[in-house]
Short mmCIF file of all heavy atoms in Angstrom, two decimals:
data_model
loop_
_atom_site.label_atom_id
_atom_site.label_comp_id
_atom_site.label_asym_id
_atom_site.label_seq_id
_atom_site.Cartn_x
_atom_site.Cartn_y
_atom_site.Cartn_z
N LEU A 1 -17.87 29.68 121.34
CA LEU A 1 -17.01 30.18 120.32
C LEU A 1 -16.02 29.18 119.90
O LEU A 1 -15.49 28.42 120.76
CB LEU A 1 -16.22 31.47 120.88
CG LEU A 1 -15.36 32.25 119.89
CD1 LEU A 1 -16.26 32.91 118.78
CD2 LEU A 1 -14.64 33.35 120.69
N VAL A 2 -15.76 29.12 118.65
CA VAL A 2 -14.82 28.20 118.01
C VAL A 2 -13.81 28.80 117.09
O VAL A 2 -14.15 29.81 116.39
CB VAL A 2 -15.62 27.03 117.22
CG1 VAL A 2 -14.46 26.04 116.62
CG2 VAL A 2 -16.61 26.37 118.05
N ALA A 3 -12.52 28.51 117.25
CA ALA A 3 -11.57 29.08 116.35
C ALA A 3 -10.78 27.88 115.68
O ALA A 3 -10.45 26.93 116.48
CB ALA A 3 -10.71 30.08 117.05
N ALA A 4 -10.35 28.05 114.47
CA ALA A 4 -9.53 27.14 113.75
C ALA A 4 -8.28 27.93 113.32
O ALA A 4 -8.35 29.11 113.05
CB ALA A 4 -10.13 26.52 112.59
N GLY A 5 -7.04 27.11 113.20
CA GLY A 5 -5.89 27.76 112.71
C GLY A 5 -4.77 26.88 112.33
O GLY A 5 -4.96 25.61 112.33
N PRO A 6 -3.69 27.40 111.98
CA PRO A 6 -2.56 26.57 111.54
C PRO A 6 -1.91 25.81 112.69
O PRO A 6 -0.90 25.01 112.50
CB PRO A 6 -1.57 27.53 110.89
CG PRO A 6 -1.81 28.85 111.64
CD PRO A 6 -3.27 28.86 111.96
N SER A 7 -2.29 26.11 113.98
CA SER A 7 -1.80 25.37 115.09
C SER A 7 -2.86 25.62 116.16
O SER A 7 -3.74 26.45 116.17
CB SER A 7 -0.47 25.96 115.62
OG SER A 7 -0.57 27.28 116.07
N ALA A 8 -2.82 24.81 117.20
CA ALA A 8 -3.80 24.96 118.43
C ALA A 8 -3.55 26.29 119.11
O ALA A 8 -4.53 26.97 119.48
CB ALA A 8 -3.60 23.75 119.34
N ILE A 9 -2.33 26.72 119.28
CA ILE A 9 -2.07 27.91 119.89
C ILE A 9 -2.57 29.15 119.16
O ILE A 9 -3.08 30.08 119.78
CB ILE A 9 -0.62 28.00 120.38
CG1 ILE A 9 -0.38 29.13 121.40
CG2 ILE A 9 0.29 28.32 119.27
CD1 ILE A 9 -1.09 28.94 122.80
N VAL A 10 -2.44 29.09 117.89
CA VAL A 10 -2.91 30.18 117.10
C VAL A 10 -4.45 30.27 117.15
O VAL A 10 -5.08 31.24 117.37
CB VAL A 10 -2.55 30.05 115.59
CG1 VAL A 10 -3.41 31.02 114.72
CG2 VAL A 10 -1.07 30.27 115.50
N ALA A 11 -5.04 29.06 117.12
CA ALA A 11 -6.62 29.04 117.37
C ALA A 11 -6.94 29.62 118.73
O ALA A 11 -7.97 30.33 118.80
CB ALA A 11 -7.14 27.56 117.22
N ALA A 12 -6.14 29.30 119.75
CA ALA A 12 -6.51 29.82 121.07
C ALA A 12 -6.34 31.33 121.17
O ALA A 12 -7.22 31.97 121.69
CB ALA A 12 -5.64 29.15 122.12
N TYR A 13 -5.19 31.83 120.51
CA TYR A 13 -5.09 33.30 120.36
C TYR A 13 -6.19 33.97 119.65
O TYR A 13 -6.63 35.13 120.02
CB TYR A 13 -3.75 33.58 119.71
CG TYR A 13 -2.51 33.27 120.48
CD1 TYR A 13 -1.29 32.99 119.89
CD2 TYR A 13 -2.47 33.40 121.88
CE1 TYR A 13 -0.14 32.65 120.50
CE2 TYR A 13 -1.36 33.10 122.65
CZ TYR A 13 -0.15 32.71 121.95
OH TYR A 13 0.95 32.48 122.70
N ARG A 14 -6.74 33.34 118.72
CA ARG A 14 -7.86 33.94 117.91
C ARG A 14 -9.05 34.02 118.81
O ARG A 14 -9.81 35.01 118.89
CB ARG A 14 -8.25 33.14 116.70
CG ARG A 14 -7.16 33.29 115.66
CD ARG A 14 -7.39 32.38 114.41
NE ARG A 14 -6.39 32.83 113.35
CZ ARG A 14 -6.06 32.19 112.19
NH1 ARG A 14 -6.84 30.94 111.95
NH2 ARG A 14 -5.27 32.43 111.36
N LEU A 15 -9.27 32.95 119.63
CA LEU A 15 -10.44 33.08 120.72
C LEU A 15 -10.20 34.18 121.60
O LEU A 15 -11.05 34.92 121.90
CB LEU A 15 -10.36 31.79 121.51
CG LEU A 15 -10.98 30.49 120.85
CD1 LEU A 15 -11.28 29.42 121.77
CD2 LEU A 15 -12.21 30.74 120.07
N GLU A 16 -8.97 34.38 122.08
CA GLU A 16 -8.65 35.50 123.04
C GLU A 16 -8.94 36.79 122.35
O GLU A 16 -9.51 37.72 123.01
CB GLU A 16 -7.28 35.32 123.49
CG GLU A 16 -6.98 36.44 124.52
CD GLU A 16 -5.53 36.30 124.96
OE1 GLU A 16 -4.62 35.75 124.21
OE2 GLU A 16 -5.12 36.95 126.09
N GLY A 17 -8.57 36.95 121.13
CA GLY A 17 -8.72 38.25 120.38
C GLY A 17 -10.14 38.51 120.17
O GLY A 17 -10.61 39.71 120.40
N VAL A 18 -10.98 37.57 119.75
CA VAL A 18 -12.41 37.84 119.56
C VAL A 18 -13.03 38.13 120.91
O VAL A 18 -13.90 38.95 120.96
CB VAL A 18 -13.12 36.59 118.90
CG1 VAL A 18 -14.55 36.73 118.96
CG2 VAL A 18 -12.51 36.52 117.43
N GLU A 19 -12.77 37.61 121.93
CA GLU A 19 -13.29 37.81 123.25
C GLU A 19 -13.00 39.31 123.56
O GLU A 19 -13.86 40.01 124.06
CB GLU A 19 -12.74 36.98 124.44
CG GLU A 19 -13.12 37.32 125.79
CD GLU A 19 -14.63 37.17 126.08
OE1 GLU A 19 -15.44 36.90 125.12
OE2 GLU A 19 -15.15 37.38 127.25
N SER A 20 -11.74 39.76 123.42
CA SER A 20 -11.49 41.19 123.66
C SER A 20 -12.26 42.12 122.87
O SER A 20 -12.83 43.20 123.26
CB SER A 20 -9.98 41.47 123.36
OG SER A 20 -9.55 42.76 123.54
N ILE A 21 -12.45 41.84 121.57
CA ILE A 21 -13.25 42.58 120.58
C ILE A 21 -14.79 42.58 121.11
O ILE A 21 -15.45 43.65 121.18
CB ILE A 21 -13.30 42.04 119.19
CG1 ILE A 21 -11.92 42.39 118.61
CG2 ILE A 21 -14.34 42.64 118.36
CD1 ILE A 21 -11.53 41.62 117.40
N ALA A 22 -15.32 41.45 121.50
CA ALA A 22 -16.64 41.44 121.98
C ALA A 22 -16.87 42.36 123.23
O ALA A 22 -17.88 42.90 123.38
CB ALA A 22 -17.07 39.92 122.30
N LYS A 23 -15.85 42.29 124.05
CA LYS A 23 -15.99 43.07 125.21
C LYS A 23 -15.92 44.53 124.85
O LYS A 23 -16.78 45.38 125.50
CB LYS A 23 -14.73 42.80 126.19
CG LYS A 23 -14.64 43.59 127.48
CD LYS A 23 -13.48 43.11 128.31
CE LYS A 23 -13.55 43.80 129.69
NZ LYS A 23 -12.52 43.35 130.66
N VAL A 24 -15.09 44.99 123.96
CA VAL A 24 -15.13 46.43 123.57
C VAL A 24 -16.51 46.86 122.82
O VAL A 24 -17.04 47.86 123.21
CB VAL A 24 -13.99 46.64 122.46
CG1 VAL A 24 -14.15 47.99 121.77
CG2 VAL A 24 -12.57 46.62 123.15
N LEU A 25 -17.00 45.92 121.99
CA LEU A 25 -18.31 46.16 121.45
C LEU A 25 -19.41 46.39 122.48
O LEU A 25 -20.35 47.26 122.34
CB LEU A 25 -18.65 45.19 120.41
CG LEU A 25 -17.66 45.17 119.13
CD1 LEU A 25 -18.09 44.09 118.17
CD2 LEU A 25 -17.49 46.54 118.44
N THR A 26 -19.34 45.40 123.43
CA THR A 26 -20.40 45.47 124.54
C THR A 26 -20.19 46.85 125.30
O THR A 26 -21.32 47.46 125.59
CB THR A 26 -20.25 44.40 125.46
OG1 THR A 26 -20.40 43.12 124.71
CG2 THR A 26 -21.32 44.28 126.64
N LEU A 27 -19.02 47.07 125.75
CA LEU A 27 -18.80 48.35 126.58
C LEU A 27 -19.20 49.58 125.73
O LEU A 27 -19.58 50.63 126.46
CB LEU A 27 -17.29 48.41 127.01
CG LEU A 27 -16.99 47.29 128.06
CD1 LEU A 27 -15.46 47.32 128.40
CD2 LEU A 27 -17.76 47.48 129.33
N SER A 28 -18.93 49.54 124.49
CA SER A 28 -19.27 50.78 123.62
C SER A 28 -20.62 51.23 123.82
O SER A 28 -20.98 52.40 123.62
CB SER A 28 -18.91 50.57 122.16
OG SER A 28 -19.80 49.62 121.47
N GLN A 29 -21.61 50.27 124.03
CA GLN A 29 -22.98 50.51 124.29
C GLN A 29 -23.24 51.41 125.46
O GLN A 29 -24.20 52.25 125.52
CB GLN A 29 -23.74 49.29 124.43
CG GLN A 29 -23.78 48.23 123.19
CD GLN A 29 -24.06 48.92 121.93
OE1 GLN A 29 -25.09 49.61 121.90
NE2 GLN A 29 -23.21 48.81 120.94
N PHE A 30 -22.25 51.42 126.46
CA PHE A 30 -22.45 52.29 127.57
C PHE A 30 -22.00 53.73 127.31
O PHE A 30 -22.11 54.66 128.00
CB PHE A 30 -21.63 51.79 128.80
CG PHE A 30 -22.11 50.50 129.29
CD1 PHE A 30 -21.55 49.30 129.02
CD2 PHE A 30 -23.18 50.57 130.30
CE1 PHE A 30 -22.08 48.15 129.49
CE2 PHE A 30 -23.59 49.29 130.79
CZ PHE A 30 -23.13 48.10 130.34
N HIS A 31 -21.45 53.91 126.10
CA HIS A 31 -20.98 55.26 125.70
C HIS A 31 -21.81 55.83 124.52
O HIS A 31 -21.26 56.56 123.76
CB HIS A 31 -19.44 55.21 125.34
CG HIS A 31 -18.55 54.81 126.51
ND1 HIS A 31 -18.21 55.69 127.46
CD2 HIS A 31 -18.03 53.60 126.75
CE1 HIS A 31 -17.51 55.06 128.31
NE2 HIS A 31 -17.33 53.81 127.95
N GLY A 32 -23.04 55.22 124.39
CA GLY A 32 -23.90 55.72 123.30
C GLY A 32 -23.93 54.80 122.08
O GLY A 32 -24.53 55.26 121.00
N GLY A 33 -23.13 53.74 122.05
CA GLY A 33 -23.18 53.01 120.79
C GLY A 33 -22.10 53.34 119.98
O GLY A 33 -21.29 54.21 120.21
N GLU A 34 -22.01 52.55 118.77
CA GLU A 34 -20.91 52.76 117.79
C GLU A 34 -21.01 54.03 117.04
O GLU A 34 -22.09 54.61 116.81
CB GLU A 34 -21.04 51.58 116.80
CG GLU A 34 -20.68 50.26 117.40
CD GLU A 34 -20.51 49.20 116.33
OE1 GLU A 34 -20.79 49.37 115.15
OE2 GLU A 34 -20.16 48.06 116.67
#
């Protein structure tokens, strides 16, 4: 995964945010999907 932003820390926060989202979407499959 790659993120770009107005600073390196913003880019890193974006990576963290997307990882959390990917986790939620993966776990939702255990509850019957979206």
